Amino acid sequence: MIDKISEKIRNLRKEQNLTLKDLSEKTGLSVSFLSQVERGSSSLAITSLKKIADALNVPMSYFFKNFDNHKFLVKSSEQKPFKIEGSNSEFIRLSGNFPDRILEAIIVTIPPGEKHGHKFNHPGEEFVYVLEGLLLVNLDGTDYIVKAGDSIHYPSEITHLWINPLEKNTKILSILTPVIF
């Protein structure tokens, strides 16, 4: 999957007659990092992919095949797990796809003892409901323990990090804005 995303980024950039420097200026990501991404030699965090997608004027779903759903109903048989480079977590997209959609609903499974991504912030808000296991949510340096059946809802502008401190998978329902896939 990394190679295909890398190729799509490179092809889109060239189609739009942008240099790596142009893309760097639009995204705030370094030229050397973008070069590594295009060669498939660097992992790409979801936040970086979002910056690239915005700079190239495409939705993030452009980089993932078989995840478009132009129906309102998403049947369980259509929900396919996938991974994103830079993350050990597994994602299942639950949202349909229609114009001007603002919510993203996903199930995220975080492996034992893993951090989900890195500390970051972004526009929007996040609602997390723990389905199985336990999630440690760090919001701007304050830890919250969210157990199965508990939820947490916060503005995404707060620097945040998710950690699964258990020796088994933690499975969560995450509903967030803005749309990422």
Side-chain angles (χ1 to χ4, degrees):
M1 182 189 260
I2 293 172
D3 292 336
K4 292 183 183 202
I5 292 174
S6 300
E7 288 172 26
K8 287 181 178 183
I9 291 170
R10 183 177 51 253
N11 292 341
L12 263 179
R13 178 181 60 78
K14 288 182 176 182
E15 284 171 17
Q16 296 180 20
N17 294 317
L18 296 172
T19 64
L20 283 171
K21 186 173 189 270
D22 295 333
L23 189 57
S24 171
E25 289 170 1
K26 286 181 159 215
T27 61
L29 303 170
S30 73
V31 171
S32 61
F33 173 72
L34 290 169
S35 176
Q36 290 174 354
V37 166
E38 285 192 3
R39 290 192 319 268
S41 63
S42 179
S43 61
L44 184 61
I46 194 79
T47 51
S48 298
L49 184 60
K50 175 71 172 142
K51 289 177 184 178
I52 292 168
D54 290 347
L56 296 172
N57 297 310
V58 295
M60 281 189 40
S61 60
Y62 174 86
F63 298 106
F64 304 97
K65 65 178 189 173
N66 300 327
F67 299 113
D68 286 335
N69 178 2
H70 299 282
K71 300 178 275 182
F72 298 117
L73 175 64
V74 180
K75 296 189 176 214
S76 62
S77 61
E78 299 168 338
Q79 298 169 10
K80 307 290 185 219
F82 64 98
K83 291 194 172 199
I84 297 172
E85 55 271 55
S87 174
N88 291 322
S89 299
E90 180 181 271
F91 300 84
I92 298 175
R93 186 171 176 265
L94 301 177
S95 297
N97 196 6
F98 53 88
D100 301 323
R101 174 171 79 86
I102 59 172
L103 291 176
E104 187 74 66
I106 53 178
I107 290 179
V108 182
T109 302
I110 305 169
E114 292 283 332
K115 290 181 183 175
H116 176 75
H118 56 281
K119 277 191 172 187
F120 67 106
N121 64 338
H122 53 89
E125 60 185 283
E126 296 187 34
F127 170 86
V128 176
Y129 178 82
V130 177
L131 298 165
E132 299 172 9
L134 180 140
L135 187 67
L136 177 68
V137 178
N138 183 285
L139 298 177
D140 202 22
T142 301
D143 289 334
Y144 296 87
I145 296 173
V146 189
K147 298 176 182 177
D150 293 345
S151 63
I152 188 166
H153 186 191
Y154 54 89
S156 305
E157 287 89 4
I158 296 174
T159 302
H160 54 281
L161 174 68
W162 299 345
I163 302 167
N164 174 3
L166 302 179
E167 294 181 10
K168 63 179 186 172
N169 284 343
T170 290
K171 189 175 191 177
I172 63 169
L173 168 65
S174 174
I175 302 171
L176 60 133
T177 63
V179 171
I180 56 175
F181 298 114

